[in-house]
Amino acid sequence: MISGAGPSLLALTDANASTAVALAMAEAWNQEGVKVEVRSLGIDTEGARVLNHD
């Protein structure tokens, strides 16, 4: 889920390219005068699961 107080942009890429992609995206926005916050995150491959709270 992507949630926040402003617009979001998501790029799915190979883990080996994630840093280069993040830097390129940030630079493109910076050239337009837009301040950005970039985060490289992993993907949860397990999905939803039930947790037992005894």
Side-chain angles (χ1 to χ4, degrees):
M1 173 183 357
I2 299 175
S3 177
S8 299
L9 180 64
L10 174 68
L12 298 177
T13 184
D14 183 273
N16 295 326
S18 64
T19 299
V21 170
L23 291 173
M25 290 172 66
E27 179 60 25
W29 284 109
N30 286 330
Q31 287 179 4
E32 297 298 321
V34 178
K35 183 179 176 183
V36 297
E37 179 180 327
V38 178
R39 297 180 186 185
S40 294
L41 307 171
I43 295 175
D44 179 0
T45 59
E46 290 185 50
R49 47 204 169 269
V50 176
L51 303 176
N52 292 323
H53 293 285
D54 295 327

